């Protein structure tokens, strides 16, 4: 194991040794740390789905749930829910740009990152035209359509995020907060609806909310997708990203300025641009169906067992790199993302298991396939083991705070449901303030396992620490968190450290535990805000909730 011992983490060690005494908590941070250490150990091989490591995860997590007093909550009296996926591995990627009489090779992982989620034997595109379609958005309810030309059989070049990111005062897409139109998943889905042959998303760190290394690591490994009746109608052959610098060169050679086109793309009057270029793209595709698993545990309620409080967090990570990795380290251990969330589920189960049995049932789901597009939670939401109509509310835990206590709580998706009030009450009792949707610009509300359930009307909370660190010295904590963002997220450096301060993580867990416990021992039903787009589907099943 290559230890994450950088200047920032060494400084953090000093901070913790001289920091304030640990706050009292119902949760055992030493036990949580040990569970994270085990789950992110090299022997778990980056927790890749449908690998030999998956069974190790299932065995470990289910044993921990059983020790906590929970029963198997999966199919046929077991601990799991089988999730059938298509596994699509792209290899031998060759790409060439033809423009102005010149052919330029584009290197996989350098100028471009190319993959596919369309089952096939391979892709072989020749002389496919490139057309820039702004943000690639078709939103009739906003009188917005970037597809003013026929893009069938073409490769579209699109910007990441949505049109308000660079100029939020336009407020055509809700200002700085990203809508679903800004997500890479939407860009690819809409391209398929438009009949495009492929998509090149121009990578820029700020609007994407992650660097190029994250793109390369995430899309250079096999991709997964749920099994679809007609995948060709929902997936394009080529799903790709392109470096901004390379895109700028293509625009300049076409006689247009990249920055000027970005500005024009913020208007509904934007007109697509023929980039006067074609691409050849070929690569081999190995497709197979695999079965991976959600891990499900349940504590049956004493008086209303058919009503559910759900806690979820994904167990999977990226696995093992196909190349030599970084300094010989090929394992994406995923300690923060998301061994921390899985360990939190286990510790929450322990606390529930120690106390009086709640009136409503508590269900813990360690989801699979989050890193491949929220596939495990999407499958559960489409095939719920416990009815969504009587799932009172849920809580998602993804990438916990491991650097110490903070003075505020961030509520992702703030304003959508009455959960906000309950979360605020508990945080206030802790002496913390509230940050409403700190990750709105990065579209965090659409990027974790709560979202497939939200789309089907289940009120879900996704919270994490925000604001300023409260225990001195402050600077090493800030530096360590920044360093994780720079070289940890979706990289091999996301490894467990004995120097972490999990008191902030415990505070966040206390919030979702107290809110969940109160709901579990009440007859309350969480309501959506009338202005939330997710209230409509929930209202359709109102008669199931008495």
């Amino acid at each position: 194991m290559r230890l994450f011992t950088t200047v920032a983490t060494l400084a953090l060690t000093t901070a913790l040794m001289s920091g304030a005494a640990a706050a009292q908590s119902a949760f055992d941070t030493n036990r949580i740390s040990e569970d994270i250490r085990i789950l992110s150990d090299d022997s778990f091989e980056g927790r890749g789905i449908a690998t030999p490591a998956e069974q190790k995860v299932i065995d470990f997590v289910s044993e921990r749930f059983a020790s906590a007093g929970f029963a198997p909550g999966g199919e046929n009296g077991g601990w799991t829910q089988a999730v059938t996926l298509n596994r699509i591995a792209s290899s031998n990627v060759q790409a060439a740009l033809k423009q102005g009489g010149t052919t330029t090779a584009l290197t996989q992982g350098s100028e471009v990152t190319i993959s596919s989620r369309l089952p096939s034997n391979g892709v072989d595109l020749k002389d496919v035209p490139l057309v820039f379609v702004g943000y690639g958005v078709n939103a009739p309810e906003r009188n917005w359509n970037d597809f003013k030309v026929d893009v069938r059989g073409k490769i579209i070049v699109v910007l990441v995020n949505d049109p308000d990111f660079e100029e939020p005062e336009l407020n055509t897409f809700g200002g700085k907060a990203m809508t679903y139109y800004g997500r890479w998943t939407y860009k690819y889905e809409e391209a398929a609806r438009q009949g495009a042959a492929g998509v090149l998303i121009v990578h820029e760190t700020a609007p994407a909310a992650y660097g190029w290394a994250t793109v390369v690591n995430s899309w250079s490994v096999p991709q997964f997708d749920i099994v679809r009746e007609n995948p060709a109608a929902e997936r394009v052959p080529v799903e790709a990203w392109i470096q901004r610098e390379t895109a700028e060169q293509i625009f300049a050679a076409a006689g247009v300025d990249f920055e000027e086109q970005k500005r024009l793309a913020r208007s509904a009057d934007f007109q697509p641009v023929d980039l006067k270029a074609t691409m050849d793209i070929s690569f081999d595709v190995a497709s197979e169906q695999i079965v991976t698993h959600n891990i499900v545990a349940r504590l049956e309620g004493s008086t209303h067992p058919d009503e559910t409080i759900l806690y979820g967090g994904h167990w999977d990570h990226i696995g093992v790199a196909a190349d030599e990795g970084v300094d010989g380290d090929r394992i994406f251990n995923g300690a923060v993302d998301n061994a921390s969330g899985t360990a939190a589920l286990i510790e929450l189960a322990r606390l529930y298991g120690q106390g009086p049995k709640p009136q409503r049932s508590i269900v813990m789901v360690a989801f699979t396939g989050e890193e491949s597009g929220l596939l495990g939670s999407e499958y559960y939401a489409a095939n719920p083991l416990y009815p969504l109509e009587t799932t009172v509310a849920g809580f998602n835990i993804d990438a916990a705070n491991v650097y110490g206590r903070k003075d505020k709580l961030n509520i992702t998706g703030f304003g959508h449901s009455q959960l906000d009030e309950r979360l605020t009450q508990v945080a206030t009792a802790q002496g913390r303030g509230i940050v409403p949707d700190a990750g709105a610009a990065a579209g965090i509300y659409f990027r974790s396992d709560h979202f497939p359930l939200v789309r089907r009307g289940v009120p879900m909370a996704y919270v994490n620490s925000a604001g300023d660190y409260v225990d001195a010295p402050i600077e090493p904590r800030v530096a360590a968190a920044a360093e994780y963002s720079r070289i940890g997220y979706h990289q091999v450096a996301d490894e467990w450290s004995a120097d972490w301060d999990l008191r902030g993580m415990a505070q966040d867990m206390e919030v979702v535990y107290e809110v969940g416990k109160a709901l579990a021992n009440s007859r309350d039903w969480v309501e959506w805000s009338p202005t939330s787009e997710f209230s409509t589907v929930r209202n359709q099943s109102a008669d199931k909730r008495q």
Side-chain angles (χ1 to χ4, degrees):
M1 179 186 297
R2 190 175 66 85
L3 294 177
F4 192 13
T5 53
T6 60
V7 173
T9 50
L10 288 172
L12 181 59
T13 306
T14 303
L16 300 182
M17 291 175 65
S18 58
Q24 291 297 314
S25 173
F27 299 109
D28 186 334
T29 55
N30 291 327
R31 193 164 53 190
I32 296 169
S33 180
E34 177 64 5
D35 285 341
I36 297 173
R37 184 194 69 77
I38 294 171
L39 283 164
S40 61
D41 186 78
D42 277 3
S43 63
F44 280 74
E45 298 180 313
R47 301 190 306 283
I49 65 176
T51 69
E54 175 166 339
Q55 190 59 50
K56 290 193 67 170
V57 177
I58 292 170
D59 291 344
F60 176 80
V61 174
S62 59
E63 184 277 328
R64 288 291 201 261
F65 280 145
S67 296
F70 275 58
E75 297 167 320
N76 303 315
W79 288 102
T80 62
Q81 178 187 36
V83 179
T84 302
L85 301 176
N86 284 319
R87 180 185 188 273
I88 300 108
S90 304
S91 60
N92 301 320
V93 176
Q94 303 293 321
L97 174 73
K98 299 178 181 178
Q99 191 175 29
T102 301
T103 300
T104 305
L106 300 178
T107 305
Q108 173 80 338
S110 181
E111 293 89 8
V112 292
T113 299
I114 296 172
S115 63
S116 183
R117 286 183 295 165
L118 180 63
S120 69
N121 294 320
V123 172
D124 188 16
L125 303 179
K126 299 293 185 185
D127 298 318
V128 180
L130 298 186
V131 56
F132 174 59
V133 292
Y135 286 89
V137 171
N138 180 24
E141 77 283 2
R142 298 174 187 266
N143 296 314
W144 193 286
N145 185 10
D146 287 330
F147 296 92
K148 300 181 180 72
V149 298
D150 187 354
V151 299
R152 285 177 292 181
K154 299 177 182 179
I155 294 175
I156 61 171
V157 179
V158 301
L159 301 170
V160 70
N161 214 302
D162 58 33
D164 281 3
F165 179 81
E166 303 282 353
E167 202 173 344
E169 57 270 22
L170 294 173
N171 201 34
T172 49
F173 282 80
K176 197 70 172 179
M178 184 193 287
T179 67
Y180 188 61
Y181 294 116
R183 288 286 290 136
W184 61 265
T185 49
Y186 169 80
K187 313 288 184 183
Y188 293 151
E189 290 163 3
E190 187 60 39
R193 286 189 284 268
Q194 298 288 336
V199 186
L200 286 170
I201 300 177
V202 180
H203 175 264
E204 296 183 86
T205 297
Y210 38 77
W212 180 251
T214 296
V215 172
V216 174
N217 291 337
S218 300
W219 275 271
S220 295
V221 294
Q223 303 298 296
F224 296 87
D225 196 13
I226 60 174
V227 176
R228 299 175 185 274
E229 185 176 347
N230 183 11
E234 300 181 62
R235 292 286 179 252
V236 292
V238 172
E239 297 182 347
W241 292 73
I242 185 169
Q243 286 264 43
R244 176 192 161 119
E245 182 179 355
T246 304
E248 287 178 329
Q249 294 167 358
I250 294 172
F251 277 65
V256 293
D257 180 74
F258 178 76
E259 278 298 328
E260 174 65 9
Q261 289 304 314
K262 278 185 66 176
R263 185 187 67 79
L264 294 172
R266 299 170 205 162
S267 168
D269 296 328
F270 165 78
Q271 295 296 318
V273 177
D274 180 357
L275 292 174
K276 301 174 183 177
T278 63
M279 281 189 73
D280 293 349
I281 299 176
S282 65
F283 52 92
D284 298 328
V285 177
S287 303
E288 62 175 335
Q289 285 194 358
I290 59 95
V291 178
T292 181
H293 300 84
N294 292 326
I295 308 169
V296 189
R298 182 171 181 259
L299 183 64
E300 186 173 287
S302 60
T303 58
H304 301 285
D306 56 334
E307 298 172 2
T308 299
I309 308 295
L310 186 147
Y311 289 85
H314 71 96
W315 63 259
D316 68 304
H317 199 52
I318 297 173
V320 180
D323 58 19
E324 66 276 9
V326 178
D327 298 332
D329 187 354
R330 300 172 54 225
I331 297 175
F332 295 94
N333 301 81
V336 173
D337 183 18
N338 188 36
S340 67
T342 308
L345 294 181
I346 293 169
E347 186 68 10
L348 283 161
R350 286 170 175 146
L351 197 55
Y352 272 112
Q354 291 170 6
K357 183 173 284 192
Q359 296 172 23
R360 287 164 159 165
S361 296
I362 308 298
V363 171
M364 302 283 174
V365 186
F367 291 114
T368 187
E370 191 271 354
E371 301 290 9
S372 303
L374 317 183
L375 299 181
S377 55
E378 176 66 27
Y379 188 89
Y380 180 90
N383 305 275
L385 297 176
Y386 305 98
L388 300 187
E389 295 84 357
T390 52
T391 298
V392 180
F395 305 90
N396 177 49
I397 305 175
D398 192 355
N401 165 27
V402 299
Y403 302 113
R405 296 184 299 162
K406 286 189 166 186
D407 64 354
K408 294 181 177 65
L409 180 78
N410 170 52
I411 302 176
T412 297
F414 187 90
H416 278 286
S417 83
Q418 293 173 346
L419 279 174
D420 297 343
E421 302 165 19
R422 294 171 179 269
L423 297 164
T424 299
Q425 288 173 358
V426 179
T428 300
Q430 292 177 326
R432 294 202 285 173
I434 294 297
V435 175
D437 216 350
I444 300 300
Y445 197 50
F446 315 111
R447 288 172 54 180
S448 195
D449 282 318
H450 58 281
F451 188 60
L453 291 145
V454 162
R455 288 174 63 184
R456 291 166 174 85
V458 179
M460 296 286 294
Y462 179 25
V463 303
N464 49 33
S465 301
D468 298 321
Y469 291 101
V470 299
D471 295 310
I474 303 299
E475 292 78 7
R477 303 175 190 277
V478 175
E483 187 156 344
Y484 173 77
S485 297
R486 185 175 66 85
I487 67 167
Y489 176 62
H490 279 209
Q491 300 182 62
V492 295
D494 184 3
E495 303 206 35
W496 172 83
S497 172
D499 302 325
W500 284 342
D501 180 353
L502 302 186
R503 290 177 294 168
M505 176 180 175
Q507 278 192 316
D508 295 344
M509 291 169 61
E510 287 165 3
V511 173
V512 297
Y513 173 72
E514 292 297 337
V515 174
K517 183 176 69 170
L519 285 169
N521 290 302
S522 77
R523 299 305 303 139
D524 294 346
W525 294 96
V526 177
E527 300 293 337
W528 287 98
S529 301
T531 55
S532 173
E533 60 267 41
F534 306 112
S535 63
T536 304
V537 63
R538 187 68 161 180
N539 291 340
Q540 294 170 0
S541 62
D543 61 330
K544 302 292 198 316
R545 296 180 295 278
Q546 303 299 326

